Structure formats: C-alpha cells, structure tokens
Amino acid sequence: MQETAKSARVLRFGVFEVDAATGELRKQGLRIRLQEQPSQLLLMLLERAGEVVGREEICRKLWPPDTFVDFDQSLGTALRKLRQALGDDAETPRYIETIPKHGLRFVAPVEKIFAANSTPALEANQTPHVAPTSRILWWAAFAVTCVLLLSLGWMTYMSRLAADRQPSMRPTRSSILPPSSWYFERSSFSVSPDGTRLAFVAFGPEGTDKLWVRALSASNAQQINGTEGAFLPFWSPDSRRIGFFAAGKLAMVETDSGAVRVICEAPFGRGGGTWGPKWHDCVFPFC
C-alpha cells in the first residue's frame, strides 16, 4: 500500500499514543483532554525525542511574537498540565525531563508508526471537542449545567431542613458565569455542605488555574490567593475549609482567613478527597 493511503502518523510511547496531525492524545484507546499549548508542547518534544529543546524555541513555537504573556509562567502552566495528563513527576520523570537553564527533553522511547486502518478513539470524558467558533454555545450549555448543580445543592439543603422539622423552603434557581476573562475548569465544582457557597476552579487568560469561592446569595466570586494550579476542590463537613490538589500536593484553605496549608504529597490524587473522622486535621485523597 502506498504511504499516501495510510492514516496520519502516530507517535507511541508507553501506554500513550499521539496523532501527529491533530495533536490528539490517547491512553489505551481513550482520549485524554489536553489544551492547545500543552498539546503543541508534547508534539514538539516527541518529534525531537532525546534532544534538549530550548525554552526560547518552545516559547516561539507556542506563542506568536505579538503575544504579551509571562512566558516563563505560561510555559510552566502548560508543562504542569501536560505532566498531569501523562501522570508524570518533575522530580522522577518518566517522560519529560527539565534541564535547568536550558530546556526540556523527552526521555522515554518513542515509536513512530503509520496505521492503515485507524478507528475513532473512545472519549475518556464524553466531552466533544469544541471549535473556537462554537465556544459561545458551549459556555451557554455549561451555564445550564451549573444551574442544575446549584438546584441540586439547594434541594439537598432543603431536605436536611425538613428532616430537622425546620420551616420548609422552596429551592432557588440561579445561574452563574465565570469571572471576567476567566473560564471554568470542567469537573472542578463543589457545593458546600451547608448549601450556601460554591467552590470552583477557573483559568485566566495566561492559562493559570486558581480556586474561587462564591456565596450563592452574592453576585461576585472571590479568588483565593496561593491556590495556583488547583483542581478537584472539596469542602469540609463544617463548610469552613476547602481541600484541593495542586502541583502534586494535597492542600487546604481556610475560607474565613484565606490561609493555605499543604497537608501532604499527593502526586497521583486524581480521584478527589474526603475528610476523616477528625475532619479538622485529617484529609484523605482518592488516588
């Protein structure tokens, strides 16, 4: 068969495959959601596996010359998200090694193949790829999902009041939009047990993830400082603390004071977390 009849080149390493034409990342046939900059970074490193790719060259590839961003911070964010998708660790890298003051190097063996009969990959998260032109419609659908989540939180709160023979109240429905110039991170929402506040993760124009808290009775959300890279937030039973994962660690923030405290290392804490019997000082991650 002529090479032109074959499908696009596939780059394979470990349990992962990358379609070089689309940048699509799969793990054992399941598609892994990856943003544009992390995807381009992965392709660049795979195509030059074993070589040190300089930071300046990476920045020129990922961001046009007229882009005004903090390149070091933006590159760090893209690299962190890529390592999270691959389950890699900066201290003991299996795939991506940081060469101080020089750049990055892909250290795992890479196999370049051409598949004559490729089949569509299964969706790992059941979320279709959204083209830039349909971003507005996607956010509209996302806002509807937020309404359903908020309604569920209020219904849970009302049922607890009824069980305690408190006066019955009707659920209140409302919708929320992300803070200006910020975007919601999917699957990073958590309603407080008392049903009064919503914690969520959003990323800004520079690609930095941060934790936000909004009172359901208020119109604005408050950004929590010191939570860069946060994901999978979860509330304590008394609704006064929020646990979250960031940079391979499990951390906790006091919502009243905003004080952030690292609890332990959690490089593979992707399933969320829960609070133990002595919830004021005991948190367990789900790996």
Side-chain angles (χ1 to χ4, degrees), residues 11-22:
L11 304 174
R12 177 180 296 167
F13 57 97
V15 297
F16 295 95
E17 290 184 353
V18 176
D19 190 319
T22 64

Side-chain angles (χ1 to χ4, degrees), residues 31 36 48 75 83 108 117-118 141 257:
R31 183 177 299 169
E36 182 178 358
R48 296 174 60 180
L75 177 58
R83 279 178 168 149
N117 296 305
S118 60
S257 65

Side-chain angles (χ1 to χ4, degrees), residues 52-67:
V52 177
V53 184
R55 297 175 65 89
E56 293 78 6
E57 182 179 354
I58 294 174
C59 291
R60 288 196 302 269
K61 177 72 173 180
L62 268 58
W63 292 278
D66 57 349
T67 302

Side-chain angles (χ1 to χ4, degrees), residues 9-279:
R9 186 180 67 182
V10 173
L11 304 174
R12 177 180 296 167
F13 57 97
V15 297
F16 295 95
E17 290 184 353
V18 176
D19 190 319
T22 64
E24 186 178 274
L25 174 65
R26 305 186 190 97
K27 180 180 181 181
Q28 296 179 333
L30 297 178
R31 183 177 299 169
I32 304 299
R33 180 174 177 263
L34 202 58
Q35 295 176 348
E36 182 178 358
Q37 279 79 17
S39 178
Q40 291 181 356
L41 175 59
L42 177 59
L43 276 175
M44 191 175 185
L45 294 176
L46 286 174
E47 290 171 352
R48 296 174 60 180
E51 301 180 22
V52 177
V53 184
R55 297 175 65 89
E56 293 78 6
E57 182 179 354
I58 294 174
C59 291
R60 288 196 302 269
K61 177 72 173 180
L62 268 58
W63 292 278
D66 57 349
T67 302
F68 297 96
V69 298
D70 186 330
F71 291 111
D72 288 337
Q73 182 177 354
S74 299
L75 177 58
T77 299
L79 179 59
R80 174 180 55 78
K81 292 186 176 182
L82 177 56
R83 279 178 168 149
Q84 287 179 354
L86 300 178
D88 203 9
D89 185 3
E91 298 297 329
T92 56
R94 291 182 296 171
Y95 302 115
I96 302 173
E97 179 185 11
T98 299
I99 309 299
K101 299 183 180 180
H102 289 84
L104 303 173
R105 176 168 57 197
F106 198 88
V107 296
V110 178
E111 179 184 3
K112 299 180 180 181
I113 61 174
F114 286 86
N117 296 305
S118 60
T119 57
L122 297 175
E123 292 287 351
N125 49 38
Q126 299 300 316
T127 302
H129 175 71
V130 182
T133 56
S134 60
R135 182 178 293 275
I136 296 178
L137 293 178
W138 191 91
W139 285 118
F142 201 85
V144 173
T145 303
C146 291
V147 171
L148 296 177
L149 288 173
L150 292 173
S151 299
L152 179 60
W154 274 109
M155 292 175 63
T156 302
Y157 181 51
M158 295 305 111
S159 65
R160 290 182 179 179
L161 290 180
D164 295 334
R165 298 183 180 180
Q166 297 290 333
S168 62
M169 299 175 62
R170 296 181 61 185
T172 300
R173 294 186 177 184
S174 62
S175 62
I176 66 172
L177 294 174
S180 178
S181 301
W182 289 74
Y183 301 91
F184 289 128
E185 280 285 10
R186 185 179 54 82
S187 302
S188 286
F189 294 84
S190 181
V191 178
S192 63
D194 62 9
T196 62
R197 288 179 290 182
L198 175 70
F200 62 90
V201 175
F203 64 95
E206 295 181 2
T208 302
D209 291 339
K210 284 192 177 181
L211 183 64
W212 295 70
V213 175
R214 172 178 167 171
L216 298 181
S217 59
S219 59
N220 296 318
Q222 300 297 322
Q223 182 184 131
I224 306 298
N225 293 324
T227 61
E228 289 79 6
F231 64 100
L232 294 178
F234 55 99
W235 289 87
S236 64
D238 65 346
S239 301
R240 296 175 56 189
R241 301 168 178 82
I242 304 174
F244 63 95
F245 296 88
K249 302 180 186 297
L250 174 62
M252 175 181 69
V253 59
E254 299 277 352
T255 57
D256 292 337
S257 65
V260 177
R261 178 162 62 95
V262 174
I263 298 174
C264 66
E265 298 287 336
F268 304 107
R270 294 188 171 189
T274 187
W275 300 80
K278 297 181 180 180
W279 44 264

